Amino acid sequence: MTTEDTAPRVTRRRIRTRANLLDAAFAVFAAKGFGRVSIEEVCEAAGYSRGAFYSNFATLDELFFALYQERADLIADQVAGALALDGPDLDVPAAVDRVTGVLLLDRDWLLVKTDFLVHAARDPAVARTLLEHRARLRGAIRDRLARARGHARLPAVLGDLDGAAHAVVAAYDGVTTQLLLDKDIERARAWLGQLLTALLSDSGDTTV
């Protein structure tokens, strides 16, 4: 058997190992909190050796960031996909219903995300990367609102499209913080829907 014959199989195995390590780390981080978890605990939860860990990640910080990136990209894709279904028109209540219906509001993820936020606040390099991901999420929202320009009007108090995108992300942050405390996911979805609809609906004084 040649090297070419075996390489795809090794690649698939490594991808599977990496995914299993990320899944195991997610569960351990959510249960104990980042900073209280060792590489050994992640390996034990995943059923792998330290060698398997180091063949995929140099440090626990690197794994943590990969985990955050995976979930942050999922959320950005969920928002972009839900906002892309109206065509040029933007039916704000319908679009908000779609976004809040598919948006990841998993409490374990929110615990991990909060840990990552605290970690990033103490590490400028990590903070820059986190800001880039948040900018991507705002960009997906801003681009969708831009495509609706001329077909839908936004409240002037938001300023411009960037202001509207910031407001949407701030609403998500606020609602998810409350969710961490009261654990009421259905209420969080309903409240987020009401808040986003109010933010993005024209109440008279408008901008385009």
Side-chain angles (χ1 to χ4, degrees), residues 88-90 144-154 161 207-208:
D89 295 324
L90 181 63
R144 180 61 190 92
L145 294 175
R147 290 198 301 276
R149 181 173 289 188
H151 299 271
R153 299 173 70 83
L154 300 172
L161 295 175
T207 186
V208 293

Side-chain angles (χ1 to χ4, degrees), residues 66-151:
L67 184 63
Y68 180 86
Q69 183 175 20
E70 182 180 79
R71 294 304 199 283
D73 287 347
L74 171 62
I75 289 173
D77 289 343
Q78 287 174 331
V79 171
L83 291 175
L85 299 178
D86 280 327
D89 295 324
L90 181 63
D91 182 338
V92 169
V96 166
D97 281 347
R98 288 196 301 273
V99 169
T100 56
V102 302
L103 193 60
L104 182 66
L105 288 178
D106 176 73
R107 190 169 179 273
D108 284 347
W109 155 242
L110 297 176
L111 287 168
V112 173
K113 185 186 81 163
T114 301
D115 275 345
F116 191 82
L117 178 62
V118 173
H119 179 55
R122 294 188 172 97
D123 186 325
V126 178
R128 284 193 296 273
T129 303
L130 178 57
L131 288 170
E132 289 170 4
H133 280 282
R134 289 174 68 83
R136 182 187 168 206
L137 179 58
R138 290 196 307 271
I141 298 167
R142 183 183 60 246
D143 291 348
R144 180 61 190 92
L145 294 175
R147 290 198 301 276
R149 181 173 289 188
H151 299 271

Side-chain angles (χ1 to χ4, degrees), residues 157-192:
V157 69
L158 296 179
D160 56 15
L161 295 175
D162 282 326
H166 273 276
V168 170
V169 174
Y172 172 77
D173 287 342
V175 169
T176 54
T177 298
Q178 180 68 25
L179 174 58
L180 276 174
L181 301 176
D182 65 23
K183 306 179 184 179
D184 191 339
I185 293 179
E186 292 309 311
R187 184 182 179 206
R189 289 194 189 280
W191 176 233
L192 183 59

Side-chain angles (χ1 to χ4, degrees), residues 25-38 41 111-112 115:
F26 177 81
V28 176
F29 288 148
K32 300 186 67 173
F34 184 74
R36 298 176 179 165
V37 174
S38 67
E41 287 174 294
L111 287 168
V112 173
D115 275 345

